[in-house]
Amino acid sequence: MLVTLKLLADEAAKRDYAVPAFNIFGYEDIIPVIRAAEQKNAPVILAANIPAIQHMPLPYLAPLMLQAARTASVPVCVHLDHGKDRQGCVDAIANGFSSVMYDGSQLTLEENIRRTKDIADYAHRHGVSIEAEIGSVGYSDPSIAMKHQLSDPDEVEQFVRETGVDAVAVSVGTVHRMETQEASIDFNLLERIQDKVNVPLVIHGSSGVPDDQLRKLASYRVAKINIGTALRMAFGKTLREEMEQKPGAFDRISLFGRPMAAVEETALHKFTILGF
Ligand code: G3H
Ligand code: ZN
């Protein structure tokens, strides 16, 4: 069933689990993620980022995500990941998304607050949840020019109070697109942040977090854990193996079988670590 982020995150914040938000790019990862969630009887967030939407525009991608959500036996949130501007969030909402993230993390605090509040008001008028980011989770790929800046607890408090967001993404040691689980979470900073605000917290760049720290994060007021690279690696590496093992094969339906199973297996493992 389709649900908002607020519904999932408020519950997760109180409980000893965190809901994974998996980046999806099409049918081949939406279905394995939903299968894994159903096996775990767990809620899940399908997150479409800008590259996914550039590849498969919203009029195609949104119905696919919404159909998967509506027919799933578990609660599913259909979410825009790292929305860059108001129009991107408006379009996602018009296409039926139940949640949007507006990412103003590269702006000054004042400008981030101003734009986030405007989009939060719009989303709430349409019954849609909103997540936003304060501080900035950087990228391991140096060609992506995004700053990396840990979140300041006082700024997080001001940001949440002045914008009215439903969940806040904070920077506490993760980096986007890590291919090995070597990040080191600053749990002391996380604790100082969660003492200042009541809303659920979101961790981006979680592919790089070691399993023991992921488990520990779930026991905090962290409600949403963003995982992208781990699933992309599971799909891509298994597809490469398949193509190497079957050099004459060209039928993508048969080539996609094992990569889809690898995505499901990786998602299942993340659910287990996150408390399901
Ligand atoms: O917004 C998406 C995520 O933060 C995913 O990050 O690809 O490093 O797991 P990741
Ligand atoms: Zn992210």
Side-chain angles (χ1 to χ4, degrees):
M1 80 215 66
L2 177 67
V3 297
T4 62
L5 175 64
K6 182 169 172 53
L7 194 128
L8 293 190
D10 283 353
E11 190 59 23
K14 285 185 253 159
R15 308 269 294 268
D16 199 18
Y17 64 72
V19 182
F22 291 116
N23 282 119
I24 51 76
F25 297 85
Y27 184 81
E28 290 76 18
D29 37 27
I30 291 174
I31 296 304
V33 162
I34 295 288
R35 278 193 196 132
E38 288 182 329
Q39 281 171 67
K40 288 291 188 177
N41 199 20
V44 70
I45 298 156
L46 298 176
N49 62 16
I50 304 301
I53 293 169
Q54 280 165 349
H55 173 66
M56 188 183 294
L58 281 173
Y60 298 91
L61 184 56
L64 190 54
M65 296 169 78
L66 290 166
Q67 173 70 6
R70 289 186 177 126
T71 54
S73 61
V74 292
V76 180
C77 170
V78 171
H79 175 78
L80 173 70
D81 190 30
H82 291 285
K84 283 287 166 249
D85 51 26
R86 188 182 206 274
Q87 192 57 48
C89 295
V90 167
D91 290 346
I93 292 168
N95 278 274
F97 279 41
S98 59
S99 172
V100 292
M101 176 199 186
Y102 169 63
D103 181 354
S105 63
Q106 305 306 297
L107 304 169
T108 61
L109 174 65
E110 291 68 29
E111 193 58 12
N112 192 0
I113 289 175
R114 195 182 68 75
R115 294 193 197 187
T116 301
K117 180 172 170 22
D118 172 49
I119 298 168
D121 290 346
Y122 182 87
H124 288 152
R125 280 202 300 278
H126 291 78
V128 169
S129 303
I130 178 160
E131 167 196 342
E133 179 167 329
I134 178 71
S136 177
V137 177
Y139 282 76
S140 59
D141 179 348
S143 70
I144 302 177
M146 294 283 209
K147 66 180 178 196
H148 183 74
Q149 191 185 314
L150 294 177
S151 300
D152 174 272
D154 291 325
E155 286 189 1
V156 179
E157 191 272 327
Q158 181 188 353
F159 185 75
V160 169
R161 179 167 36 82
E162 294 185 11
T163 58
V165 291
D166 300 299
V168 65
V170 293
S171 177
V172 292
T174 55
V175 175
H176 283 103
R177 309 257 173 104
M178 285 178 71
E179 294 174 25
T180 51
Q181 291 176 273
E182 287 174 329
S184 176
I185 301 290
D186 185 339
F187 284 97
N188 178 39
L189 175 59
L190 181 63
E191 221 162 304
R192 290 200 290 129
I193 291 170
Q194 82 169 23
D195 284 348
K196 292 261 179 188
V197 290
N198 289 321
V199 294
L201 304 176
V202 179
I203 304 294
H204 280 248
S206 303
S207 292
V209 180
D211 283 357
D212 59 330
Q213 291 183 47
L214 265 188
R215 182 74 202 97
K216 195 169 163 188
L217 279 173
S219 70
Y220 282 70
R221 195 155 5 83
V222 171
K224 174 173 178 277
I225 296 274
N226 282 31
I227 297 170
T229 305
L231 291 200
R232 293 213 303 278
M233 285 171 69
F235 190 94
K237 287 187 169 185
T238 314
L239 180 60
R240 183 166 293 109
E241 278 168 26
E242 275 293 85
M243 297 191 77
E244 279 165 6
Q245 277 166 25
K246 301 173 182 167
F250 54 82
D251 176 358
R252 67 173 162 186
I253 293 177
S254 69
L255 285 169
F256 283 176
R258 276 194 58 227
M260 287 174 73
V263 169
E264 186 176 326
E265 200 181 308
T266 305
L268 274 172
H269 177 69
K270 298 295 182 187
F271 274 115
T272 305
I273 301 299
L274 293 175
F276 294 100

